[in-house]
Amino acid sequence: MSSRAVPGRPGMTTTAETLVARLDGDFTSHTVDADGTAIHCVSGGTGPPVLLVHGFPQDWYEWRHVMPRLARGHTVHAVDLRGVGGSDAPADGYDAVRLGGDLAELVETLGIGPVHVVGHDIGGWAAYALTRLRPDLVSSALILEVLFPGLDVPDSPVPGVPLWHGEFHQVPHLPETLVAGREEAYFRYFLDIGTAVPGVVTDDEIAHYASAYGEPARLHAAFEMYRAIPKNARFFRDGCDPVDVPLLLAGGEQCFGPLMPALARHLTAAHGWSSVTDVVVPGGRHYLPEELPDAVAELIERHAQSVRK
């Protein structure tokens, strides 16, 4: 495994190694070959393995406040999805199944399975796919703040947050054209409305995220993840085989949290999951690992501990 800097425009962000050095604990930055695609992750700590998967518009650094606490009792691996940050950005392969396949390759290459996988936002789709397709590699799954296209969930409340960007991001080429060079302003919009405390994500941190998506191939990759939604919807809808991995769905009180109970019931009743529980995080919105890291770390620790009992 080799160290690798997070690519970006000069002066906009620091390397992964510099960011890792700021973490409280002994963490290292490295890449792993996942069937020909280099996947970057940051690892540290000792104990049962936890795999952290970021959402949009973030990279591994989303977990910076959660990782040191988890590392006291777990070996933590925070990954960059393909196309983001320090990972390779191939032209295709951004559907949930392929992203989950990258995670499976990473787990097998590192020899760390089974893992407690935690996915936020789009990272939740990848974590779900990993768990459904390779349950042998997963001890437990915790999915934060994401819904699953293609699932017709009975009695589900209507989301109380704007979701316009999902359709916009699926338009071919246009989002790249409009957002290129304006990543910081665009990402700031989402991170501001998605957190309950103004400024919880700083300008420097947003500049880092902008750099993680700043190359044309990486910005394209971000929108390709949304263009894969129709394919993902078929995967989520058709997946009904039994899965005997404990799944916890968590959402912020001010975002998707109120929808989690109905989704949990539906996955148990219609999609083969043997154990699905749900949690609403009080006071939280969408970017829970950044605005309420202690609450998220406690959820992860508690869920992982419940599996070991």
Side-chain angles (χ1 to χ4, degrees):
M1 294 180 292
S2 60
S3 296
R4 179 166 169 175
V6 174
R9 288 170 290 181
M12 287 197 64
T13 191
T14 52
T15 65
E17 287 79 5
T18 302
L19 294 175
V20 169
R22 295 176 182 173
L23 297 177
D24 182 14
D26 185 17
F27 290 92
T28 60
S29 172
H30 55 98
T31 58
V32 174
D33 180 78
D35 194 23
T37 299
I39 300 297
H40 171 253
C41 66
V42 175
S43 304
T46 57
V50 175
L51 179 62
L52 304 175
V53 192
H54 66 86
F56 172 86
Q58 299 148 304
D59 65 350
W60 73 269
Y61 199 55
E62 161 181 4
W63 304 100
R64 64 195 174 279
H65 300 308
V66 176
M67 294 166 68
R69 171 170 168 169
L70 288 183
R72 299 172 194 165
H74 296 84
T75 305
V76 180
H77 303 274
V79 65
D80 281 343
L81 292 169
R82 66 165 54 203
V84 179
S87 295
D88 283 348
D92 54 20
Y94 294 99
D95 59 283
V97 170
R98 190 63 177 271
L99 296 176
D102 288 343
L103 300 181
E105 290 280 347
L106 182 142
V107 170
E108 291 191 310
T109 300
L110 293 178
I112 59 173
V115 300
H116 301 284
V117 64
V118 183
H120 170 239
D121 188 73
I122 282 177
W125 295 344
Y128 184 97
L130 168 67
T131 307
R132 174 163 285 286
L133 297 173
R134 293 296 307 272
D136 57 305
L137 297 180
V138 181
S139 297
S140 72
L142 196 168
I143 294 177
L144 296 166
E145 270 296 310
V146 73
L147 304 178
F148 294 92
L151 298 189
D152 184 13
V153 181
D155 304 318
S156 179
V158 176
V161 294
L163 299 175
W164 60 269
H165 64 286
E167 293 187 359
F168 170 61
H169 289 180
Q170 292 180 63
V171 177
H173 309 301
L174 182 62
E176 291 93 327
T177 301
L178 297 180
V179 175
R182 304 176 180 88
E183 291 89 352
E184 289 186 50
Y186 193 64
F187 293 175
R188 166 61 76 188
Y189 165 81
F190 291 104
L191 290 159
D192 277 353
I193 68 167
T195 51
V197 179
V200 68
V201 185
T202 68
D203 288 343
D204 285 346
E205 290 160 353
I206 290 178
H208 166 74
Y209 292 142
S211 181
Y213 292 83
E215 296 177 357
R218 299 184 188 285
L219 193 59
H220 176 72
F223 298 130
E224 284 295 294
M225 293 181 192
Y226 286 86
R227 292 174 189 134
I229 284 177
K231 186 174 183 179
N232 291 345
R234 293 190 293 272
F235 170 70
F236 297 140
R237 182 191 63 226
D238 296 344
C240 299
D241 293 339
V243 183
D244 192 24
V245 174
L247 172 62
L248 173 61
L249 305 175
E253 180 183 27
Q254 300 177 28
C255 198
F256 292 145
L259 285 72
M260 293 299 108
L263 178 57
R265 291 192 299 269
H266 183 64
L267 290 176
T268 303
H271 289 275
W273 292 85
S274 63
S275 173
V276 186
T277 52
D278 59 271
V279 171
V280 176
V281 180
R285 289 191 186 172
H286 183 63
Y287 294 102
L288 296 175
E290 308 217 58
E291 63 176 343
L292 294 170
D294 287 340
V296 170
E298 183 178 353
L299 279 178
I300 296 169
E301 291 169 336
R302 190 190 316 150
H303 188 51
Q305 181 63 34
S306 71
V307 174
R308 294 198 295 271
K309 291 181 178 179

